Amino acid sequence: MSPAGGTVLAVLLSLVSAAGYALAAVAQSRLAASAGAGRGALRSLLARGQWWWAVGLNAAGALAHVAALHYGSLTLVQPLGALTLVAALPLGAYCARRRVTRTEWRGALWTLAGLVGLVAVTGPTAPGEALSLRESLVVAAATAALIAVLASPGGARGAARPGSRGLGHATASGIASGVASALTQTLTAALAFTLPGGAPAWWQTTLLAVLISAFAVGGLLLSQTAYRGGLAAPLAVVNLSNPAAAAVIGVALLGETFRAGAWGWAIAAAASLVAARGVVLLTKGGAAATPPGPGRPSPGTPPVAATHPDAPATPAPAGPLLPAVPAPVVSVPAGRAPGAEQPRTPIASS
């Protein structure tokens, strides 16, 4: 295939991947809103066919992404994958029967610009480079501890605010998926007998496969939990933390560096601030666009004081108070009831 044909195919596969991830995120968000919380939430999701459709869409998006990387470069495919957020916003708003707010569009553009900036200065891993088995185990243990902190009730400080409750789970989901990608590269090297440190034993290869499955499934379940607090902001955090985790592993353990030297670090820091600004806008826009639910008054409705059922009713004033006017005193003859009709006296004719 010619280079131009490969580029076109990579772009098409990237768009298919972004559409699959966006549809899966919208489906997960709606299912998370209807499933509720508690121990029975996961059981109810596993019993619903729509959730398995969402899992299938996630898998299809991942396969299309891998195929796109086969035909195109990382610098081309990764920014196109960030279109997942742009596609999910109108899809989620259409399903919720509302319009995308201006704040949400601004947040999506800021997040997309920051993500593209991060990907642009991150160099791809050279072919054949992978984590050793010892490094893989250390990364897996450190990631599990970090996910436990982020997913704990006190890990996400904004859990009490609407729209930001799932950011801790979204960060944990993205980190889990990024580590799963790094471990997948290590497993590929192990199966090709090119793993640093020599060919691994069968149980070591099996251990890598189990770790990859655990982080992949954990990332999916964490994202499902994150979408209880909304769609746009958690999805943006997932898309940001995934490549960020892979970049940290590459720089710390695989000898990667940011492009442009010291300027690359400055660009990465600026891109992170831009993306963080986008997430804040998405959080505000999602909270403002949330319709009032049952038992929740709409904005502008005056509060109603709660009354006890046994409390005496207090009549409301009917109008302005007027000064009291004394009633006239009418004298009634004895033996006649008040209000009784008096007999008429005939008029003598002259």
Side-chain angles (χ1 to χ4, degrees):
M1 182 179 293
S2 63
T7 301
V8 172
L9 186 56
V11 170
L12 292 177
L13 288 172
S14 298
L15 295 178
V16 171
S17 174
Y21 281 133
L23 289 171
V26 172
Q28 285 183 272
S29 176
R30 293 182 63 83
L31 289 172
S34 61
R39 297 181 178 179
L42 178 59
R43 192 181 310 123
S44 63
L45 287 174
L46 294 176
R48 302 179 67 172
Q50 295 177 351
W51 189 79
W52 290 106
W53 274 106
V55 173
L57 288 171
N58 268 315
L63 292 176
H65 181 74
V66 172
L69 287 174
H70 177 71
Y71 292 101
S73 63
L74 182 68
T75 56
L76 173 67
V77 174
Q78 285 293 93
L80 291 176
L83 294 176
T84 299
L85 178 61
V86 180
L89 270 180
L91 285 174
Y94 175 78
C95 293
R97 298 181 179 179
R98 66 173 182 87
R99 293 182 179 180
V100 182
T101 63
R102 293 183 179 180
T103 304
E104 288 178 313
W105 279 124
R106 288 169 52 204
L109 293 178
W110 278 76
T111 305
L112 185 62
L115 182 57
V116 171
L118 285 174
V119 172
V121 298
T122 304
T125 305
E129 288 190 1
L131 299 173
S132 65
L133 183 61
R134 182 178 179 179
E135 290 173 340
S136 300
L137 295 179
V138 171
V139 168
T143 304
L146 180 59
I147 290 175
V149 173
L150 291 172
S152 63
R157 296 296 181 88
R161 293 178 297 175
S164 62
R165 293 174 297 178
L167 297 187
H169 289 88
T171 306
S173 174
I175 292 175
S177 300
V179 171
S181 299
L183 294 180
T184 300
Q185 188 179 16
T186 302
L187 179 62
T188 303
L191 294 176
F193 299 103
T194 59
L195 186 70
W202 66 269
W203 64 269
Q204 295 174 332
T205 305
T206 304
L207 178 60
L208 284 175
V210 170
L211 289 176
I212 293 170
S213 301
F215 282 115
V217 174
L220 177 64
L221 296 179
L222 286 169
S223 65
Q224 179 69 62
T225 306
Y227 292 142
R228 292 175 185 167
L231 172 63
L235 181 59
V237 173
V238 169
N239 287 338
L240 286 170
S241 55
N242 188 330
V248 169
I249 293 175
V251 172
L253 299 176
L254 298 179
E256 294 181 7
T257 57
F258 287 106
R259 296 173 182 174
W263 284 104
W265 289 92
I267 294 174
S272 300
L273 294 177
V274 169
R277 170 65 175 169
V279 172
V280 172
L281 289 174
L282 288 172
T283 303
K284 294 180 178 179
T290 303
R296 186 170 37 182
S298 58
T301 303
V304 180
T307 57
H308 194 274
D310 297 334
T314 303
L321 298 178
L322 299 177
V325 179
V329 179
V330 180
S331 59
V332 181
R336 182 176 300 173
E341 185 178 357
Q342 299 181 2
R344 297 180 179 177
T345 303
I347 301 175
S349 59
S350 55

